[in-house]
Amino acid sequence: MKYENTFKAIDQKRFPYLNDFQTTATQTDSLEYKIGEIFSELHNKIRSGFNMREIIKLVGRAHAPRDLRFADEVSR
């Protein structure tokens, strides 16, 4: 599968990274804590490379804290 490494990186790195926001946040009412709380309940079920590419593009354009944005093609 062409996108196997992308899915592996998302499943093993990106989701756990976002989940960790819950434990590293300084306040429970912060955006970081809320993101971590959401991702502690989620699991990546996207298995279409085309859909994943579109989602990554949308997230990259979103108004999110700087450390959540994808800086360049390599980060994506």
Side-chain angles (χ1 to χ4, degrees):
M1 179 184 235
K2 182 178 179 181
Y3 295 99
E4 188 173 313
N5 289 337
T6 301
F7 296 129
K8 190 175 185 180
I10 289 169
D11 293 340
Q12 295 177 0
K13 293 181 182 178
R14 191 62 65 185
F15 270 67
Y17 168 75
L18 293 168
N19 182 11
D20 284 345
F21 279 27
Q22 186 175 19
T23 57
T24 59
T26 57
Q27 298 177 349
T28 58
D29 64 344
S30 67
L31 177 62
E32 289 82 7
Y33 183 86
K34 292 173 184 174
I35 290 169
E37 192 169 23
I38 291 168
F39 277 88
S40 69
E41 300 292 326
L42 292 178
H43 301 282
N44 181 23
K45 295 191 178 218
I46 300 167
R47 290 293 171 240
S48 162
F50 176 77
N51 289 342
M52 182 61 68
R53 184 174 57 229
E54 290 302 310
I55 291 167
I56 290 171
K57 283 181 189 178
L58 289 171
V59 169
R61 287 187 228 140
H63 298 287
R66 181 176 288 281
D67 58 348
L68 292 180
R69 290 186 185 213
F70 298 110
D72 54 33
E73 287 293 321
V74 175
S75 298
R76 293 178 188 183

